[in-house]
Amino acid sequence: MNISAIDEFVAAFIILVGSMMSFLSAVGIIRFPDVYTRAHAATKSSTLAVLLTLSGVFLYFWLNESLISVRLLLGIIFVFITAPVSGHLILRAAYRSNVKLTETTSEDELKSALENKNNDE
């Protein structure tokens, strides 16, 4: 086994882990009980899945063909910045629209924070 084969194996392994994370994210979206936990699965784990997949592709081209793809780097940076922020904003809008939490939720920290903010104004 030469160095090139090891590089390909490492890149393929990272892409495989990203694919498995994407699958787990899809399962979480289906199985979780409310919009908040589903969005957690949709944003956090899918962000990691996309980052792992793009990183694996970047490593493959970098190590095997000595090509540094600026598009892949920009894609990694764009997903890393935008996905968690958009998920947070969507969930905040859902909370302010009175979308109910699931029955199993034990604590609502945002409710007391918003009440304190409204009392201060």
Side-chain angles (χ1 to χ4, degrees):
M1 185 176 256
N2 58 11
I3 295 297
S4 178
I6 293 172
D7 293 343
E8 287 179 11
F9 177 77
V10 168
F13 182 74
I14 293 172
I15 293 170
L16 178 67
V17 171
S19 300
M20 291 186 327
M21 285 298 298
S22 179
F23 176 75
L24 290 175
S25 174
V27 170
I29 291 170
I30 294 170
R31 297 282 306 195
F32 284 152
D34 64 354
V35 68
Y36 303 103
T37 52
R38 287 180 183 157
H40 181 78
T43 56
K44 305 290 189 265
S45 59
S46 64
T47 300
L48 179 63
V50 170
L51 290 177
L52 285 172
T53 304
L54 289 178
S55 297
V57 172
F58 178 79
L59 282 176
Y60 176 81
F61 283 115
W62 182 35
L63 296 174
N64 289 321
E65 300 188 18
S66 299
L67 175 70
I68 295 177
S69 175
V70 176
R71 288 182 186 166
L72 284 173
L73 287 175
L74 290 175
I76 290 170
I77 292 169
F78 182 76
V79 169
F80 188 71
I81 292 172
T82 59
V85 172
S86 63
H88 175 77
L89 292 176
I90 290 170
L91 288 178
R92 193 169 196 98
Y95 188 85
R96 289 179 183 243
S97 300
N98 295 323
V99 175
K100 296 203 181 288
L101 300 169
T102 184
E103 301 276 329
T104 59
T105 302
S106 60
E107 187 172 347
D108 185 5
E109 294 178 354
L110 189 57
K111 182 178 182 179
S112 61
L114 288 177
E115 287 173 354
N116 289 340
K117 182 180 177 184
N118 290 336
N119 290 337
D120 292 340
E121 292 178 358

